[in-house]
Amino acid sequence: MEINRYQTRKPKRLAVVTMGVKLGDETRGYTRFRFLSELLAREGFEVDLITSSFQHWDKAHRDTSKACYQGLPYRVVFIDEPGYTKNLDLARIRSHRVAAKNLRAHFERTAGAYDLIYAEIPPNDVARVCAEAADAQGIPFVADINDLWPEAMRMVVDVPVVSDVAFYPFSRDAKRVYQLLAGAVGTSDEYAARPAKDRAKPYPQATVYVGNDLAAFDEGARVHAPEVDKPEGELWVAYAGTLGASYDVATLVEAAALLERRRLARAASKGDDQAPALPPVRVKVLGDGPDREKLEALAAQLDAPADFLGYTAYELMAAYLCASDIVVNSLVTSAVQSIVTKIGDYLASGNPMINTGSSPEFRAKVTADGFGVNVEAEDAEALADAIAKLAGHASLRKIMGSKARAVAESEFDQPRAYREIVDLLRTLL
């Protein structure tokens, strides 16, 4: 009897490498690589999700023997890493270096096991190990570019000559990764195109936003809506994300204080019919980070109507975003971020967005897709004006909000958008 070679063909085995992912019963972290691993497994691939034994968001080591890491559609492989306590310090750099060394040993032990390696960059040294392992084994390597190191680091430390020397290893590793890749996936057009600066040979590329699982977002918002108590007549402006160097929450707090002073002044001048009424505006800050105490002190000093809710579980965050009236993508002027992780959640909430990010790509998208407005970063007056304009035009908020939701459904919903990654990998294989 003739054997059907298509039925007996062994599935392709892929290594998906990320040092930061939310797994099992963990409450913090990114889901991009977990969702991609699940999707690839459903598409018939054998998948090893290779990640760190250290949980970046909790700053704690995982108990890798826990049952929640077993019996998944993919196999989880933990790489030992010593860990660190801060997002940006020498201990983190040393920790990633050890992880890279241990990852190299893993690929040497499993030489010939994988048909393709897919890895995020940064960390640059970890990505370089993946690129060189794939090159040595003659298999494709695909880089998932979700930030630019050392460009982003220069925001925090930019000292002439000193920074060039300190950041040289990051530049060297990134260049090596870009030269060796067989394909690139970027979380923005800018990121997907970045390797071209360090190589002459063209490469297949795709832009796939980080996005979210819309069904999970909607379900979380629905279930947790009763937990969100919003006073009638109050207008909420929401920010979700890290409270750190790149993200300009201070200007948002200053804008909130400015709006409150304007509202009280207009209420005091009752005889002035030309002054339109301004509803009470409250800023809801969902997130945590190294700048939280400083920001809370600023809000207290300015008597700003801003509530710092701390780290909020994803499902409850979804409920808060949906209960809000305006969302703010707030970055400092020097931020190199292009299209950040939380954009998918902002759009999913169906609210208009005020964007202070300087990325030409995203500013053009805000305008072209019509889901919000751009204002200059670090300008409290301009931000307050933009909030006041949207606060006074419910119909404009509704139009922009519906456009935001449509973009979320067509471009940021992971089950739909991530199929482009699968198609790229199939082409390379």
Side-chain angles (χ1 to χ4, degrees):
M1 184 176 72
E2 184 181 355
I3 298 175
N4 187 329
R5 69 179 186 275
Y6 295 105
Q7 291 179 346
T8 59
R9 180 180 292 169
K10 186 180 179 182
K12 298 290 186 181
R13 187 176 176 189
L14 312 182
V16 175
V17 184
T18 172
M19 291 294 105
V21 63
K22 176 182 173 182
L23 292 173
D25 58 5
E26 296 167 4
T27 58
R28 306 186 188 204
Y30 296 143
T31 61
R32 180 174 178 85
F33 290 86
R34 186 186 74 192
F35 185 87
L36 177 60
S37 296
E38 292 169 354
L39 178 59
L40 289 167
R42 287 200 301 271
E43 290 293 314
F45 295 100
E46 289 185 359
V47 180
D48 282 7
L49 176 57
I50 303 172
T51 192
S52 174
S53 62
F54 180 75
Q55 222 280 3
H56 167 76
W57 288 270
D58 293 336
K59 300 294 187 289
H61 287 91
R62 290 169 160 131
D63 177 358
T64 59
S65 66
K66 288 174 66 175
C68 64
Y69 302 130
Q70 316 297 325
L72 300 169
Y74 47 85
R75 186 167 75 105
V76 180
V77 177
F78 289 107
I79 300 297
D80 286 337
E81 180 179 2
Y84 44 89
T85 58
K86 297 180 180 178
N87 282 348
L88 186 60
D89 64 0
L90 290 175
R92 182 177 183 183
I93 294 170
R94 285 195 294 266
S95 184
H96 285 325
R97 191 175 299 157
V98 173
K101 180 182 176 181
N102 291 335
L103 180 61
R104 189 180 298 278
H106 169 78
F107 282 127
E108 289 172 352
R109 285 194 307 270
T110 59
Y114 299 114
D115 297 289
L116 180 146
I117 298 175
Y118 185 98
E120 70 174 337
I121 180 172
N124 295 17
D125 49 1
V126 172
R128 178 176 177 173
V129 165
C130 296
E132 292 179 340
D135 183 59
Q137 297 177 34
I139 60 175
F141 166 71
V142 178
D144 188 300
I145 307 166
N146 54 66
D147 203 352
L148 302 180
W149 285 7
E151 291 93 325
M153 293 176 170
R154 288 187 181 277
M155 278 187 48
V156 182
V157 182
D158 192 7
V159 181
V161 182
V162 174
S163 293
D164 291 339
V165 173
F167 295 149
Y168 170 73
F170 298 98
S171 299
R172 176 201 61 207
D173 292 344
K175 186 172 183 178
R176 183 73 170 147
V177 168
Y178 298 150
Q179 289 174 340
L180 290 176
L181 59 78
V185 174
T187 54
S188 70
D189 291 343
E190 177 191 355
Y191 290 179
R194 174 60 183 85
K197 294 181 181 179
D198 284 314
R199 56 183 284 152
K201 186 179 179 181
Y203 57 95
Q205 60 182 271
T207 297
V208 180
Y209 304 127
V210 174
N212 56 10
D213 185 334
L214 270 181
F217 178 93
D218 292 343
E219 179 64 9
R222 184 189 67 80
V223 170
H224 292 273
E227 299 172 39
V228 180
D229 182 19
K230 183 181 182 185
E232 189 174 348
E234 205 167 76
L235 186 133
W236 283 5
V237 178
Y239 168 86
T242 304
L243 307 183
S246 300
Y247 303 97
D248 186 24
V249 180
T251 299
L252 181 57
V253 169
E254 292 168 8
L258 184 56
L259 286 168
E260 181 64 4
R261 289 198 298 272
R262 287 184 191 175
R263 187 183 72 84
L264 294 175
R266 288 176 185 179
S269 58
K270 294 178 183 178
D272 185 1
D273 294 332
Q274 302 302 312
L278 185 67
V281 173
R282 290 204 74 82
V283 168
K284 298 290 181 178
V285 180
L286 307 159
D288 211 340
D291 290 350
R292 181 175 174 181
E293 286 187 12
K294 183 169 64 176
L295 291 166
E296 287 179 324
L298 176 65
Q301 175 192 334
L302 298 177
D303 200 19
D307 303 316
F308 290 81
L309 304 179
Y311 176 80
T312 309
Y314 183 80
E315 296 79 5
L316 181 58
M317 178 211 70
Y320 267 102
L321 289 181
C322 290
S324 298
D325 303 280
I326 299 167
V327 293
V328 179
N329 180 44
S330 193
L331 292 107
V332 297
T333 306
S334 58
V336 298
Q337 281 84 347
S338 188
I339 299 179
V340 299
T341 302
K342 278 289 174 277
I343 295 299
D345 298 321
Y346 287 155
L347 295 171
S349 72
N351 285 312
M353 181 189 304
I354 298 175
N355 170 55
T356 75
S358 301
S359 162
E361 178 183 344
F362 191 60
R363 290 179 79 86
K365 186 170 184 62
V366 170
T367 302
D369 291 351
F371 55 74
V373 295
N374 295 304
V375 300
E376 292 303 311
E378 300 179 56
D379 186 335
E381 191 87 31
L383 182 55
D385 289 346
I387 293 171
K389 181 177 179 179
L390 288 172
H393 292 81
S395 60
L396 181 59
R397 294 202 307 272
K398 186 174 182 179
I399 291 168
M400 288 183 169
S402 64
K403 290 181 177 180
R405 178 66 191 199
V407 172
E409 292 172 358
S410 63
E411 299 177 36
F412 285 79
D413 188 21
Q414 290 176 339
R416 178 189 296 190
Y418 281 32
R419 296 204 63 83
E420 190 168 356
I421 301 178
V422 178
D423 292 342
L424 174 62
L425 301 192
R426 285 196 191 281
T427 300
L428 291 171
L429 287 165

